């Protein structure tokens, strides 16, 4: 089969509370010089640029593995025994002192927070409304979350809430990137299904599935399910009529520090918002405000690329998911809105002798470090003929048009363990429209209602091993890799049609390739 050159080249080339906060104390930060996002790699010499271009060029030889292809996270790759702990190892090239920092961060990642007041003053401050008591409760074994199935709980899945702007002022706040979107006036930016004693949880998510089948060209019928989301037992009155519900399961934690050190120029070079090359793929960057600096930055974390840094992602999760304040999100009531007066008046866990927030900088720093250094496992079976055939199918179909195989991280990365590493995340970290069937109709910054960030594929073949399930996509609707592929529409519709048309042997080979990642 002949490769499509255009596909290969594409690989290369929070409620007025928030509004008031932005216009008040936070306005000065956002009025600062936004600066510019570099579009060239100033970290590299001319000879380095040539080397990077050579090693990241798309392969055309599928008869054998590429050099270092098994080391998906470069020198940071974990080569430990593959088992349920495969996503919980530290980067292989960390120094001894850094291993200690990682382990301290791990302990805080697993820490169970308790409601205030409590005798365990270093652990109180939970909620008052929350989705989980620990980071690990959602990111079990640092792996992929799942939707509630049968009697299973919904700890690793929640609903993002966002309403439409009502005034020119609100529209301008979004346009200026002072905020990403507007929260529900009563329930805030996400639905909390748990609460401390004495308060009511906000509500409970309800998922209704409609079963249907998709026929492949050879007559094979694939069972699928279409989810519909609603909320019951609302404890604080109705939601705004324009509020949208966006389900999110927790993604795997591996390789985040390496992703953070991909130079923005290398990601922006892959963007083609107007589809200038005519290949049907129009990747767009989500340019957001970095809360820490007020400057514009490239969003690269989260289902809609809404967070520019791992620290931002961690601080947001502490606040929204657990209700724990940090220097970056100092409100001790988490996502409680002004309409939830009892929540706002509940005791908090700030201990002045420990700091100004419930999780002061040592805590936030350590959990951030932990999140930056969860190693990517080594690939398996890279030289298996069927895997190699599946890799070819991956490229021939055009999957690599969004799932860019490889990058070289910044040479000037702050931590040398993450610097100048050839990595294989299989993502361009851009926004792509995957069609109305996948849309949540919830804009987040520059991300439109049908757009999602391309998810990294490294480690996807170990989902069953680590997480004990095979639920994929942003809401876990897909129960297999085949279902996940078939849900891809919009920019990926041609790829999906090509997958449907493959002979069974080639489809099986493609799945074997994905399972090797």
């Amino acid at each position: 089969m002949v490769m499509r050159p255009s596909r290969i080249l594409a690989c290369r080339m929070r409620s007025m509370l928030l509004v008031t906060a932005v216009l008040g104390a936070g306005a000065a930060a956002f009025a600062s010089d936004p600066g510019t996002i570099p579009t060239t790699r100033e970290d590299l010499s001319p000879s380095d640029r040539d080397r990077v271009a050579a090693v990241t060029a798309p392969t055309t030889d599928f008869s054998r593995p590429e050099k270092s292809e098994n080391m998906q996270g470069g020198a940071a790759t974990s080569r430990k025994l593959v088992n349920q702990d495969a996503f919980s190892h530290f980067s292989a090239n960390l120094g001894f002192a850094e291993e200690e920092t990682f382990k301290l961060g791990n302990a805080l990642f697993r820490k169970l927070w308790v409601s205030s007041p409590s005798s365990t003053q270093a652990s109180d401050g939970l909620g008052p409304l929350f989705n989980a008591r620990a980071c690990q409760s959602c990111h079990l074994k640092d792996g992929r979350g799942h939707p509630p199935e049968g009697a299973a709980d919904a700890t690793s899945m929640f609903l993002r809430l966002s309403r439409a702007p009502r005034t020119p002022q609100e529209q301008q706040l979004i346009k200026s990137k002072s905020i990403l979107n507007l929260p529900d006036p009563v329930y805030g930016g996400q639905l909390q299904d748990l609460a401390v004693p004495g308060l009511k949880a906000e509500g409970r998510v309800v998922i209704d599935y409609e079963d249907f089948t998709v026929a492949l060209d050879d007559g094979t019928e694939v069972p699928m399910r279409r989810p519909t989301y609603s909320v019951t037992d609302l404890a604080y009155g109705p939601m705004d009529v324009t509020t949208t519900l966006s389900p999110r399961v927790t993604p795997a934690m591996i390789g985040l520090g390496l992703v953070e050190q991909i130079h923005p120029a290398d990601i922006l070079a892959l963007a083609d918002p107007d589809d200038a090359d005519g290949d049907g793929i129009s990747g767009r960057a989500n340019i957001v405000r970095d809360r820490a600096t007020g400057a514009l930055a490239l969003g690269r974390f989260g289902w809609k690329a809404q967070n520019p840094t791992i620290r931002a992602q961690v601080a947001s999760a502490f606040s929204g998911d657990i209700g724990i304040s940090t220097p970056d999100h100092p409100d001790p009531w988490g996502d409680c809105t002004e309409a939830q007066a009892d929540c706002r008046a509940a005791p908090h866990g700030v201990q002045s002798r420990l700091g100004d927030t419930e999780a002061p900088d040592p805590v936030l720093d350590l959990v951030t470090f932990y999140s930056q250094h969860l190693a990517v496992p080594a690939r398996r079976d890279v030289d298996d003929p069927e895997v190699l055939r599946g890799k070819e199918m991956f490229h021939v179909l055009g999957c690599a048009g969004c799932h860019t195989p490889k990058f070289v991280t910044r040479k000037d990365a702050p931590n040398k363990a993450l610097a100048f590493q050839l990595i294989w995340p299989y993502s361009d970290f851009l926004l792509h429209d995957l069609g109305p069937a996948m849309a949540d109709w919830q804009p987040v910054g520059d991300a439109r209602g049908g757009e999602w960030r391309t998810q990294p594929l490294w480690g996807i073949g170990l989902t069953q091993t680590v997480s004990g399930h095979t639920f994929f996509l942003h809401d876990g609707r897909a129960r297999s890799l085949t279902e996940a592929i078939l849900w891809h529409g919009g920019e990926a519709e041609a790829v999906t049609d090509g997958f449907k048309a493959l002979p069974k042997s080639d489809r099986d080979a493609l799945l074997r390739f994905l399972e090797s990642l």
Side-chain angles (χ1 to χ4, degrees), residues 1-4 8 59-63 69 385-400 502 506 509-510 513:
M1 299 179 74
V2 179
M3 298 182 67
R4 300 179 187 177
I8 302 303
T59 186
T60 57
D61 180 5
F62 301 102
S63 64
E69 190 172 0
E386 187 179 24
V387 170
L388 290 168
R389 177 63 176 166
K391 178 182 175 182
E392 183 177 8
M393 294 301 99
F394 184 88
H395 284 77
V396 168
L397 289 176
C399 305
L502 287 178
D506 286 345
L510 175 59
F513 166 69

Side-chain angles (χ1 to χ4, degrees), residues 56-105:
T56 59
T59 186
T60 57
D61 180 5
F62 301 102
S63 64
R64 57 185 178 181
E66 296 174 69
K67 185 177 180 181
S68 304
E69 190 172 0
N70 64 318
M71 299 293 285
Q72 295 186 105
T77 302
S78 170
R79 306 188 74 168
K80 293 183 180 293
L81 182 68
V82 172
N83 55 26
Q84 194 177 17
D85 295 321
F87 289 177
S88 299
H89 302 301
F90 53 79
S91 300
N93 56 349
L94 281 186
F96 182 77
E98 292 174 313
E99 290 180 27
E100 181 182 23
T101 304
F102 177 90
K103 291 173 181 177
L104 289 170

Side-chain angles (χ1 to χ4, degrees), residues 215-222 386 389-390 393-394 397 481-482 485-486 496-515:
L216 308 184
D217 288 12
D218 64 3
T220 300
E221 291 195 341
V222 181
E386 187 179 24
R389 177 63 176 166
M393 294 301 99
F394 184 88
L397 289 176
L481 290 171
T482 297
I485 294 169
L486 294 175
T496 302
D497 288 344
F499 176 76
K500 292 178 183 178
L502 287 178
K504 185 178 185 301
S505 59
D506 286 345
R507 293 200 309 270
D508 290 345
L510 175 59
L511 297 174
R512 276 291 311 278
F513 166 69
L514 294 175
E515 289 164 356

Side-chain angles (χ1 to χ4, degrees), residues 51-329:
R51 290 174 59 197
V52 169
V55 299
T56 59
T59 186
T60 57
D61 180 5
F62 301 102
S63 64
R64 57 185 178 181
E66 296 174 69
K67 185 177 180 181
S68 304
E69 190 172 0
N70 64 318
M71 299 293 285
Q72 295 186 105
T77 302
S78 170
R79 306 188 74 168
K80 293 183 180 293
L81 182 68
V82 172
N83 55 26
Q84 194 177 17
D85 295 321
F87 289 177
S88 299
H89 302 301
F90 53 79
S91 300
N93 56 349
L94 281 186
F96 182 77
E98 292 174 313
E99 290 180 27
E100 181 182 23
T101 304
F102 177 90
K103 291 173 181 177
L104 289 170
N106 186 19
L108 291 167
F109 192 81
R110 296 168 176 267
K111 178 191 184 78
L112 290 173
W113 295 84
V114 298
S115 58
S116 300
S118 169
S119 60
T120 56
Q121 292 186 353
S123 298
D124 64 351
L126 176 68
L129 301 174
F130 61 98
N131 293 107
R133 292 182 58 198
C135 305
Q136 185 75 201
S137 300
C138 295
H139 299 277
L140 189 62
K141 293 290 184 181
D142 305 294
R144 189 183 304 270
H146 59 81
E149 296 287 323
D153 63 67
T155 302
S156 59
M157 177 180 177
F158 63 84
L159 295 179
R160 291 276 189 209
L161 310 177
S162 176
R163 66 167 173 87
R166 298 180 182 139
T167 66
Q169 182 188 44
E170 291 180 347
Q171 292 172 340
Q172 179 59 32
L173 285 168
I174 294 173
K175 184 178 179 179
S176 67
K177 302 182 182 296
S178 298
I179 57 175
L180 293 168
N181 54 20
L182 289 153
D184 183 86
V186 175
Y187 294 93
Q190 68 188 65
L191 185 78
Q192 276 89 23
D193 57 359
L194 298 170
V196 299
L199 288 180
K200 293 180 180 179
E202 291 184 321
R204 180 173 59 87
V205 59
V206 176
I207 312 174
D208 293 309
Y209 289 108
E210 176 191 353
D211 295 327
F212 66 102
T213 60
V214 170
L216 308 184
D217 288 12
D218 64 3
T220 300
E221 291 195 341
V222 181
M224 305 273 282
R225 61 179 188 173
R226 181 180 294 109
T228 301
Y229 297 92
S230 60
V231 180
T232 189
D233 301 331
L234 284 171
Y236 300 93
M239 288 185 181
D240 188 275
V241 294
T242 67
T243 292
T244 55
L245 311 178
S246 181
R248 310 288 176 86
V249 297
T250 51
M253 297 281 291
I254 57 173
L256 298 182
L258 293 165
V259 173
E260 192 170 41
Q261 295 308 320
I262 298 174
H263 198 285
D266 287 351
I267 296 176
L268 294 173
L270 300 171
D272 186 15
D274 300 317
D275 192 20
D277 60 7
D279 68 350
I281 297 175
S282 333
R284 300 191 313 117
N286 197 353
I287 305 301
V288 301
R289 291 276 181 188
D290 186 338
R291 291 178 63 98
T293 66
L296 294 178
L298 174 66
R300 61 181 80 194
F301 300 105
W303 285 102
K304 296 214 173 195
Q306 69 269 27
N307 285 313
T309 64
I310 297 171
R311 182 183 172 100
Q313 182 85 6
V314 171
S316 177
F318 262 125
S319 178
D321 300 353
I322 314 179
I324 294 296
S325 59
T326 65
D328 293 13
H329 285 265

